[in-house]
Amino acid sequence: MKRYHLLLALLAAALLSGCTIAYAQGARVSKTIDPLVLTNDQRLAVAVALRAGEVRVTTTPSDELQATLTYDTPLARPNCRVENNGALVNFAIAPSAHAKRGALRGQEHQADLYLPQHALQALSIRLDAGQVSLDLHDADLNNVDARVGAGELLLDLRGTHSRDMTVAVATGLGTATVLLPADMNIEIVSERALGQIDYDGLSPAGRAVSATAPTLTLTVLRGIGQTTLRLDD
């Protein structure tokens, strides 16, 4: 009995001192967001900002936005916000209010998003450390902004597009691969840094298809690492 009381006392002391009790390995929490249905007249803007982990985005022919979030502890649950302004729906994922600024430990998340192609208008991704994979095949959106502090970024823009698109990619320390569509004029703007850009199938200035084709303006913000720009065959 005395040992039991001692354990309780130690546990209380740990809690009062602000210590975190670690969850058992493999005891991660997964939460599925209720599907958000968009009409044909609505447009969607998505913003994801997380500290560390993995962000995966896939566009689909469905009219639903679906998302699943996985995180280490209940206190690390990201904040999700939906603003329906009628014609425009804003969906945002941000770090938990309990997250310490600048801290990565305990902030490893996995976010899987499935977004409707017909509605997606703008996508912004911010990840301090980890991996980002964006499959935007055939998504006719206006703006993409994807930034990874340290890690890997894969952005797939292949497919058919009918409108102009503005894209910005940035990696501080790591690699970025951008797969580009064949049916668009491509204009490339590169901010010089220590990193290297490999051009596969196009020139450093881009590529012209025709005067009537839509234009993709790509800004590459380089840190230390390598960026590969590859034209779809």
Side-chain angles (χ1 to χ4, degrees), residues 27-34 46-57 65-74 76-82 91-96 107-115 125 127:
R28 303 193 80 198
V29 183
S30 183
K31 177 179 177 59
T32 299
I33 308 301
D34 292 337
V46 175
V48 178
L50 293 172
R51 300 287 168 77
E54 185 175 4
V55 177
R56 298 183 296 204
V57 176
L65 181 156
Q66 302 179 30
T68 300
L69 305 175
T70 305
Y71 40 93
D72 291 331
T73 71
R77 183 179 68 183
N79 294 320
C80 296
R81 186 181 75 253
V82 177
F91 178 76
I93 299 175
S96 165
Q107 297 300 317
E108 295 185 9
H109 300 84
Q110 180 175 312
D112 292 282
L113 282 71
Y114 298 90
L115 308 177
I125 305 292
L127 185 67

Side-chain angles (χ1 to χ4, degrees), residues 29-202:
V29 183
S30 183
K31 177 179 177 59
T32 299
I33 308 301
D34 292 337
L36 178 64
V37 180
L38 288 92
T39 67
N40 290 331
D41 298 329
Q42 288 183 310
R43 293 296 174 261
L44 174 67
V46 175
V48 178
L50 293 172
R51 300 287 168 77
E54 185 175 4
V55 177
R56 298 183 296 204
V57 176
T58 303
T59 53
T60 72
S62 169
D63 59 357
E64 290 185 348
L65 181 156
Q66 302 179 30
T68 300
L69 305 175
T70 305
Y71 40 93
D72 291 331
T73 71
L75 289 179
R77 183 179 68 183
N79 294 320
C80 296
R81 186 181 75 253
V82 177
E83 295 179 355
N84 191 338
N85 299 317
L88 178 64
V89 176
N90 292 292
F91 178 76
I93 299 175
S96 165
H98 300 281
K100 294 182 179 179
R101 186 175 181 83
L104 297 181
R105 185 177 181 181
Q107 297 300 317
E108 295 185 9
H109 300 84
Q110 180 175 312
D112 292 282
L113 282 71
Y114 298 90
L115 308 177
Q117 291 172 346
H118 78 276
L120 185 60
Q121 177 175 294
L123 177 65
S124 173
I125 305 292
R126 299 284 192 280
L127 185 67
D128 291 346
Q131 296 180 327
V132 172
S133 177
L134 308 177
D135 183 356
L136 307 182
H137 223 94
D138 293 327
D140 223 7
L141 69 176
N142 292 16
N143 182 269
V144 180
D145 192 327
R147 302 172 187 244
V148 179
E152 299 177 3
L153 168 64
L154 172 61
L155 172 58
D156 189 347
L157 296 170
R158 295 175 296 177
T160 302
H161 306 273
S162 62
R163 68 178 71 179
D164 292 345
M165 187 186 309
T166 301
V167 178
V169 296
T171 52
L173 175 62
T175 62
T177 301
V178 183
L179 306 179
L180 296 164
D183 65 343
M184 300 184 74
N185 299 314
I186 298 173
E187 298 178 357
I188 299 173
V189 179
S190 173
E191 293 194 2
R192 293 185 176 275
L194 298 178
Q196 176 183 346
I197 297 182
D198 290 337
Y199 301 92
D200 186 351
L202 66 168

